[in-house]
Each structure stands twice: as C-alpha cells, then as structure tokens.
C-alpha cells in the first residue's frame, strides 16, 4: 500500500466499525524500527501497521488481492494515536476493523496491543482511495469490499436497509456474479420477484423496495421517476456495483427507462416486463388523481380492492386464490404516502417512446398473454421499436406475470441472461 501523508496526534476513532474478514496478526518489534532511545515512535508505528496489513493479507485473501482485481489502495490520510512505548523484542497483536466503505474509499482502523500484558500501545486510522492503473479513483470491487467487511449480503430473504441519501431502502440481495437489479411495479414491493430472486443463480440479484413501498422509508413527498432512478443508482453505488442488468416491471419499467436517460452507462441490459413506453393519456392522468383520492381517504386496502382485478389475469383469479390474497396483502401494506407519491410520479412521467430506437443494450420484453393494463399488442410494438429486442409472451398470466407464472417468467429471463456476454 502506498505511503500515506502522516498526521500524528490524537485520532478520533469511529466505533461503528464493521468486522473485516482479515485475520489479526502478531508482529515482533525489531531494533531497527526503534529510535535512538530504543523505543517505537509514531512514524515507526505507521510502518509497523503497514507491515501488519500486508501480513494479514498474506494470511487471508493473498497479498496480490488488489492486483488480481486491477486496482491499488492508495493511502491518502493516516492518523496514529500513540498510547505506550514498545521496545525491540515486544510482540504486538494487530487487529483490523473497517470503518466507512464508500464507492471508492475505504477507512480502516488498526489496534496494536502488547501480547505480554494486553496493553493497548497504538491505534491507526487510515483512509485509502482505490485507484486504477492510471492513478484515477475507481470503484472498490465488490469482492474486496466484502473481504473488508462491507455488509453486502445477508441471509437469503433478509432485507438490509441501505441509506440512499436521506431515505433508507430495504433490499433483498443474493448470490454472486454480474448484477441483476429487480425494480418492482405499483403498488407492490420486492416480493413480487420472489421466484426470480430465489432461483436465478450465477447472478448477483438485488431486489429493493422502492421508496414508499414495502418496508422502505415512505417520505411524504419527493416522488418522481427521476428520484426513483437516482435512488437505485445510489443503491448500486453503495453496493459497489458499476453496471447492472435492470429488470423493470410496469412502473419499474418506467424507472428503468429513466435510468437509461439519466445513468446510461450503469445499465448493461434490460428486461421489460408488462410495461409500456408511452406517457399517461389525459384520461389516465385523471384516473391517477381519482386513485390518489381513494388512497388518501380510504387507505391502501381500498386501493387493493380496486386494483387486484385489473392486475391479475382471469386465469389467475379463477385458479390461484393464494396469489390473489398475496397481492391484496402486498398492496394493503404499502404506505399511503408511497401510493400517492407513485401515482403522481407515473402521472408526470415523460414519454419514453423516443428512447426506444436508441436502446443499444440487450433487451428482453415479457408480457402476460392476459395482461389488460399493458396488452400484448402494446408490448409487441414496444419490442419492435427497440433494435434487436427479444419478445416473450407468458400464457395464462396477466399484468403480474412474474408472480402469476413465476416458473415460466424465470425461464425466459434465464434464457436471455444465458445468452449475454459475461464480463
Ligand atoms: C404497475 O403495475 O406498476 C402499474 O399498474 C403501472 C401503471 O399504473 O401505469
């Protein structure tokens, strides 16, 4: 690691560290490290901490960890907190904890204690910036962030809350591999993708509740397709993900289009499910306002009663009562400010039809054969307007195809993903 600019004196240590997966190591103090009085000074501690970091890497993921990922940690700032002298022959245990992990920066804390009496002799707080071969800051590769204790995944199904700038999103993250971001529709939550998230192995699946949905924060205002898109890109930043294939269902598709408009370089593929490119008609806008009123005056359950018959295909309504109940419950627990906010965001969304001809990432369009909100003909026309988009129709499913016919939808998505070049 590069030699940092040294700042000596009292360090303020952030105690909200996360546990890194690097082992603690024991290092011996050598005579050449000690000053003319025979003890370690602060500058010598700086070197000793560096030695301990390399030792920990050598015993853990390997001293070539950074080179393997094409990056290098450049130390930018370091503060040594000197507590006690140490002398030649003393053996010190050095433990390492991770402080903040940013998109490109990593803060580490090291503590050295004397083995013979357990006394704390020095602490170090050090900030690295990950750089590429040209010395430019570059995102910390996910594998490295994980080794340093970045909380990037949880037990399957466990939601982790990620602050995306004043709003916390609840996120289900599973698996390893290239990133696949699932964006749910309205007024639903991440669980509509349950089958796809559980089974699309070899991909890093990320399924958030959007702001105002599920158990994410639901502020009173601040909803637009641009805000949703920016939230998701901040989430990718927090997870140290540079690019993702984005799967958007209905409103999630409107958001995916906005991600393309605002953050094109982050999207490497598109899966558009039961969605459309056109903006709302005047009549649809009036309908949104009527539904806002229902939500405000009668609550989410009343919205569910009105919407479920239109969201689910007739086959599902006749043969899958459990899915009908599941969707009612999902809508019923959506916070009213989130419902009202999403309706306003959809009412005001821009027309995405001019975008279609410019889409240059691999795209799959999926539609339920019984979708009445976005009929198959609308999806076919959208697919035809996107250069080289594939189109799949799911028999027996309505507007909520991923939930109504989960196996069939997962299969067509898996086939599409299989054909993508893997980075
Ligand atoms: C959705 O499923 O996200 C909504 O039905 C989309 C819409 O109302 O336009």
């Amino acid at each position: 690691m590069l030699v940092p600019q040294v700042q000596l004196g009292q360090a303020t240590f952030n105690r909200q560290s996360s546990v890194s997966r690097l082992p603690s190591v024991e290092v011996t103090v050598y005579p050449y490290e000690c000053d003319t009085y025979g003890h370690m000074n602060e500058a010598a501690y700086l070197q000793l901490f560096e030695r301990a970091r390399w030792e920990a890497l050598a015993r853990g993921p390997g001293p070539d960890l950074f080179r393997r990922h094409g990056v290098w940690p450049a130390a930018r700032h370091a503060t040594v907190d000197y507590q006690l002298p140490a002398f030649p022959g003393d053996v010190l245990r050095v433990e390492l904890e991770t402080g903040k992990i940013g998109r490109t920066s990593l803060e580490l804390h090291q503590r050295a204690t004397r083995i013979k009496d357990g006394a704390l002799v020095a602490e170090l707080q050090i900030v690295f910036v990950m750089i590429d071969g040209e010395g430019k800051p570059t995102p910390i590769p996910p594998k490295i962030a994980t080794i340093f204790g970045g909380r990037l995944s949880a037990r399957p199904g466990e939601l982790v809350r990620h602050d995306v700038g004043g709003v916390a999103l609840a996120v289900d993250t599973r698996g390893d591999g290239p990133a696949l971001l699932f964006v749910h529709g309205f007024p639903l939550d991440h669980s509509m993708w349950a089958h796809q998230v559980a089974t699309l192995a070899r991909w890093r699946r990320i399924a958030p509740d959007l702001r105002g949905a599920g158990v994410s924060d639901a502020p009173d205002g601040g909803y637009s397709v641009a805000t949703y898109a920016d939230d998701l890109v901040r989430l990718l930043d927090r997870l140290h993900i540079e690019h993702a294939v984005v799967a958007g269902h209905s409103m999630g598709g409107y958001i995916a289009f906005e991600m393309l408009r605002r953050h094109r370089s982050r999207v490497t593929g598109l899966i558009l499910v039961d969605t459309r490119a056109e903006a709302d008609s005047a009549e649809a806008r009036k309908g949104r306002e009527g539904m806002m009123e229902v939500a405000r005056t009668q609550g989410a359950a009343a919205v569910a009663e009105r919407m479920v018959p239109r969201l689910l295909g007739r086959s599902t309504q006749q043969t899958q009562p459990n899915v009908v109940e599941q969707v009612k419950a999902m809508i019923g627990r959506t916070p009213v400010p989130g419902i009202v906010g999403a309706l306003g965001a959809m009412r005001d969304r821009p027309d995405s039809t001019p975008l279609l001809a410019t889409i240059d990432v691999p795209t799959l369009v999926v539609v339920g054969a019984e979708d009445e909100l976005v009929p198959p003909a609308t999806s076919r026309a959208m697919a035809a307007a996107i250069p080289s988009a594939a189109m799949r129709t799911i028999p027996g499913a309505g507007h909520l195809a991923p939930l109504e016919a989960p196996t069939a939808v997962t299969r067509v998505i898996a086939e599409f993903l299989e054909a993508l070049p893997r980075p």
Side-chain angles (χ1 to χ4, degrees):
M1 300 186 196
L2 301 185
V3 176
Q5 178 200 337
V6 187
Q7 186 190 319
L8 300 175
Q10 287 291 313
T12 335
F13 290 95
N14 171 6
R15 295 293 172 197
Q16 289 178 327
S17 302
S18 55
V19 179
S20 107
R21 295 190 189 169
L22 294 183
S24 61
V25 294
E26 289 172 14
V27 288
T28 304
V29 175
Y30 295 123
Y32 70 82
E33 293 174 299
C34 299
D35 61 19
T36 41
Y37 295 97
H39 79 292
M40 294 271 290
N41 62 25
E42 288 150 301
Y45 275 124
L46 196 59
Q47 286 189 347
L48 179 131
F49 280 121
E50 176 165 12
R51 184 150 65 88
R53 287 195 298 278
W54 284 114
E55 190 61 40
L57 281 175
R59 293 200 206 155
D64 60 343
L65 171 72
F66 300 105
R67 291 223 182 274
R68 284 202 309 267
H69 290 84
V71 295
W72 190 251
R76 291 287 187 247
H77 183 89
T79 307
V80 174
D81 192 3
Y82 176 101
Q83 301 282 344
L84 288 175
F87 297 95
D90 279 349
V91 182
L92 307 179
R93 171 171 298 115
V94 182
E95 291 158 318
L96 187 146
E97 288 181 343
T98 306
K100 288 192 213 101
I101 304 188
R103 184 159 173 256
T104 59
S105 67
L106 173 66
E107 183 187 285
L108 299 182
H109 305 152
Q110 288 175 280
R111 288 163 60 82
T113 46
R114 207 161 41 206
I115 295 271
K116 67 174 179 224
D117 58 3
L120 174 69
V121 294
E123 292 183 273
L124 172 78
Q125 179 167 285
I126 186 162
V127 178
F128 295 93
V129 171
M130 213 53 74
I131 57 173
D132 61 17
E134 290 168 0
K136 293 206 205 82
T138 189
I140 300 173
K143 273 265 150 55
I144 294 182
T146 309
I147 285 166
F148 280 94
R151 184 98 198 280
L152 298 177
S153 58
R155 286 191 303 280
E158 184 193 342
L159 298 182
V160 175
R161 291 175 76 77
H162 291 276
D163 191 321
V164 292
V167 169
L169 302 188
V171 188
D172 185 352
T173 312
R174 303 197 209 173
D176 274 325
L180 176 56
L181 174 67
F182 290 96
V183 190
H184 63 76
F186 166 84
L188 307 164
D189 63 36
H190 78 283
S191 65
M192 65 157 286
W193 296 109
H195 190 271
Q196 293 74 39
V197 170
T199 52
L200 285 165
R202 300 180 61 227
W203 286 78
R204 183 152 180 236
R205 289 96 68 198
I206 302 138
D209 286 343
L210 294 168
R211 64 165 64 206
V215 292
S216 287
D217 286 354
D220 280 332
Y223 296 84
S224 66
V225 283
T227 318
Y228 290 127
D230 290 353
D231 284 351
L232 294 176
V233 167
R234 281 200 206 101
L235 174 65
L236 294 181
D237 288 346
R238 283 206 47 113
L239 297 172
H240 309 286
I241 292 171
E242 194 59 22
H243 315 284
V245 171
V246 180
H249 170 261
S250 197
M251 181 177 83
Y254 312 157
I255 297 167
F257 288 137
E258 191 66 17
M259 286 179 77
L260 274 186
R261 269 190 292 271
R262 298 169 75 80
H263 308 282
R264 198 171 192 109
S265 66
R266 309 298 290 270
V267 181
T268 49
L270 270 182
I271 302 169
L272 299 168
V273 184
D274 297 306
T275 193
R276 63 168 75 240
E278 298 81 21
D280 272 5
S281 64
E283 195 194 337
R285 280 202 275 271
K286 263 179 74 184
R288 303 284 189 206
E289 271 144 34
M291 193 65 88
M292 285 180 187
E293 198 50 26
V294 170
R296 283 195 199 101
T297 55
Q298 299 171 50
V303 172
E305 283 305 322
R306 281 176 171 70
M307 287 202 66
V308 167
R310 294 164 66 210
L311 288 174
L312 297 174
R314 50 176 195 285
S315 305
T316 303
Q317 295 187 53
Q318 283 162 9
T319 61
Q320 298 196 79
N322 53 330
V323 173
V324 176
E325 288 316 308
Q326 184 186 351
V327 175
K328 273 192 191 156
M330 201 190 302
I331 300 177
R333 57 178 185 255
T334 305
V336 168
I339 294 180
V340 173
L343 285 163
M346 291 191 288
R347 177 196 59 199
D348 300 336
R349 76 186 189 277
D351 179 14
S352 293
T353 47
L355 186 74
L356 300 181
T358 73
I359 295 178
D360 55 2
V361 292
T363 301
L364 171 69
V365 175
V366 181
V367 68
E370 299 175 12
D371 188 341
E372 287 177 10
L373 291 176
V374 182
T378 305
S379 287
R380 263 194 299 279
M382 182 173 76
I386 301 173
S388 50
M391 158 97 196
R392 297 283 178 272
T393 304
I394 307 296
H399 187 63
L400 270 182
L403 201 58
E404 295 176 60
T407 319
V409 171
T410 302
R411 189 167 53 241
V412 297
I413 293 179
E415 282 164 9
F416 170 73
L417 295 174
E418 274 307 307
L420 295 182
R422 284 178 76 92

